[in-house]
Amino acid sequence: MAFKSINRLFEKEDFFSLGKETAVAGITNNSKEVKKNYVFFAVKGTKTDGHRFVEEAVKKGACCVVVEDLHTAVKIKKNYPEITVVYTDNSRKKQAEVSRKFYGYPDKELKIIGITGTNGKTTVSHLTARILELSGKKTGIIGTINYRVGEEVISEGRTTPDSTHWFSLLRKMRDMGAEYIVAEISSHALDQYRVHGTEFSGAVFTNLSQDHLDYHKDMESYFKAKERLFKMIDQNTPAVVNTDDIYGRRIYEKYKNLSGFGIQKTDFTISDIKLSDRGSGFFITYKKSRYKIETGLIGLFNVYNTAASFSILMEMGFSADSIIEKIKKLKPIRGRAEIIKGDGFTVVIDYAHTPDALKNILETLNHLKRGKLITVFGAGGDRDRGKRPLMGKVASELSDVIIITTDNPRTEDPEKIIEEIKKGIKDSRKVMIISDREKAIETSIETAEKGDIILIAGKGHETYQIIGNRKIYFDDREVAEKYIKKRQQMLPRQEKY
């Protein structure tokens, strides 16, 4: 990366006080990362205000500070005249603009597909990326599970990184040879300008249901954040939305350049759906042509996810026959309706952590069960409290047995989270409370009978629990496999199913 001067990274009107002209070595909004000749962005966050750390950044070697507080700008100008001070009305937005310049506009060299929505982002992004890879396209993926190019993992994932890391990551992936990037774009990312300025080559909207209202406060604000992705793209950019979803329909009707996918008649119309425990089959009608699609992914929600991938890639110019052949080869995503076989019973690991996602997976499993449906789940702490009783209600209506446990309680009292979930449950006779998540999983496996399905929901691919401020290793799949094996060892040979 060729280091850029401060003058080249900012516009003339940005400067509050010009210091020494310096080659910029790096950019960050984390004072702990500041080194000599870094630009430091003071960002007002949800938990802390970066303006508190401006002087610390200067003392650590920052050559330029970007602030949106006039008092701080005046103070730095007075005390550190050699430092360049930039005063802006939006540090996050300015950070994205500067990051894009600093990393040499990597988005212009890539075809980036942004996927947003409440549920399905991870599955749609992985399906789309895999189809691209099978088509011979070197593809990067940015999302919840990890950041990778092909099979080379760069780091653990986060739905959408901060703008400095976003553009840095795009540059790194391009330098690794990536042609396409498939990225999960969260509502937080759109609201906080993390992908501001990015030139997208495709966009997908999956659905919208209650989540993150601790941050957005109401569904309309949540929707408006998601909608920003479609304001960012121009009319020539391929984009598809789920028109069966009421919020997707709003986007579809407002932005006329989009295509819709769904069961109700639209551009890509889904029909003749057949679901089983071995996968799904359905047809998509598009421009008078009818395409048969078969996938090993289970459930109606995965019909929508597969249709989303099919639709966006068709709109981006890939042939239907090629996409369909590759869809047949796709495998389930880690922690998304992931199946583990026991002795006569089945365990399903799923990331479902919203009322709608929990409803989707439970409805699917109810069609597949031959015995009872046992649901093990909790709810995250320091997050949207309003969805907890809704999840309890869904679980009670669609499960035969419920084991309420911890998820990531964070700084909240786990027992109080459980009590809030219980408020949505009318029939307490089917409920067990086991706050220790490992013990809850063990109990579900010990008590399962032939034909039962156990759903372990909420954490999916995650390999940790956050308790207080500690991150403790915990993997639902490993724990389930441990107790399945233990049960098999304890059962007499003749009693095994």
Side-chain angles (χ1 to χ4, degrees), residues 376-388:
V376 182
F377 80 108
D382 302 332
R383 297 293 186 269
D384 182 2
R385 293 176 59 186
K387 69 180 183 180
R388 295 171 187 172

Side-chain angles (χ1 to χ4, degrees), residues 265-327:
K265 188 170 176 55
T266 186
D267 302 285
F268 293 86
T269 304
I270 303 165
S271 63
D272 301 307
I273 300 167
K274 290 183 171 55
L275 305 175
S276 76
D277 59 357
R278 296 183 302 278
S280 312
F282 58 98
F283 285 84
I284 286 184
T285 302
Y286 176 64
K287 291 184 177 178
K288 299 183 180 179
S289 294
R290 197 163 182 258
Y291 303 102
K292 184 179 181 180
I293 297 175
E294 296 173 314
T295 173
L297 305 183
I298 66 168
L300 181 61
F301 58 95
N302 273 323
V303 170
Y304 278 95
N305 292 336
T306 306
S309 293
F310 176 85
S311 303
I312 189 60
L313 291 174
M314 280 279 286
E315 290 290 72
M316 293 181 74
F318 290 83
S319 78
D321 290 343
S322 175
I323 299 168
I324 290 166
E325 282 306 305
K326 291 165 181 62
I327 286 173

